Amino acid sequence: MISTGIALALGALLLFGGWAVTAGLATRSVSAVNAVFLSYVASIGIAGAYVLLARRPITGTRTDVGFALASGAFLAAGSISFYAALTRGNMAIISAIAALYFVVPVFVGVGYLDVALSAANAAGLALAVVAVALIAL
C-alpha cells in the first residue's frame, strides 16, 4: 500500500498535468494574461472553499505568512510566464521545461539551507535535465 504522501503527490502530478493541458488549450484563443486571470478566479474559488471546509484559521509567524504570500507571487509570475510561453511554443516542450522547476529548490536547499545532496540525487537531477533536452529535440 502506498503512503498518503505518495498518493497525494500522484494526485498533484495528474492535476498539474491537467492544468498544463488545459492552459495550452486555453491559450489558443485567450491571451496569456486573461487565461492566467481566469485560471486564478477558478483557483481562488476552489482554495477558498477548501479553507472554509477545513475550518482552519490562518495562523503562523509573520515570517512564514510572508513566505506563503511570496510563494503566491512566485506562482502567479510563473503562471504568467508559462501561459505566455504556451502561446509561443509547443505545449509538450514548454511543459517539460517548466516541469524542471524542482531544480530551483534543490539548489536553494543545498546552497542556503544545508540540505544534503547524495550522488544518486545529483544523478537523478542530471537525468531529468537530459530527459527534458531529449523531449525538446
Side-chain angles (χ1 to χ4, degrees), residues 10-11 16-17 28 46 57 60 64 79 82-83 88 93 98 108 129 135:
L10 291 171
F16 283 136
R28 292 182 301 184
I46 292 168
D64 290 344
S79 294
F82 180 71
Y83 278 74
R88 294 169 179 85
I93 295 169
V108 170
V129 171
I135 290 169

Side-chain angles (χ1 to χ4, degrees), residues 20-32 35 83-84 86-89 91:
V21 170
T22 55
L25 294 172
T27 56
R28 292 182 301 184
S29 67
V30 178
S31 71
Y83 278 74
L86 287 172
T87 66
R88 294 169 179 85
M91 183 190 322

Side-chain angles (χ1 to χ4, degrees), residues 3-85:
S3 73
T4 303
I6 297 296
L8 290 169
L10 291 171
L13 176 146
L14 294 172
L15 292 165
F16 283 136
W19 167 70
V21 170
T22 55
L25 294 172
T27 56
R28 292 182 301 184
S29 67
V30 178
S31 71
V33 68
N34 287 330
V36 170
F37 175 75
L38 293 170
S39 74
Y40 273 75
V41 168
S43 334
I44 197 70
I46 292 168
Y50 174 72
V51 168
L52 291 174
L53 291 172
R55 297 179 183 249
R56 293 186 181 159
I58 298 173
T59 61
T61 66
R62 283 185 176 185
T63 300
D64 290 344
V65 169
F67 280 129
L69 293 169
S71 75
F74 279 112
L75 181 60
S79 294
I80 292 167
S81 179
F82 180 71
Y83 278 74

Side-chain angles (χ1 to χ4, degrees), residues 100-113 115:
L100 281 174
Y101 74 88
F102 68 86
V103 171
V104 174
V106 169
F107 284 118
V108 170
V110 170
Y112 299 100
L113 303 175
V115 173

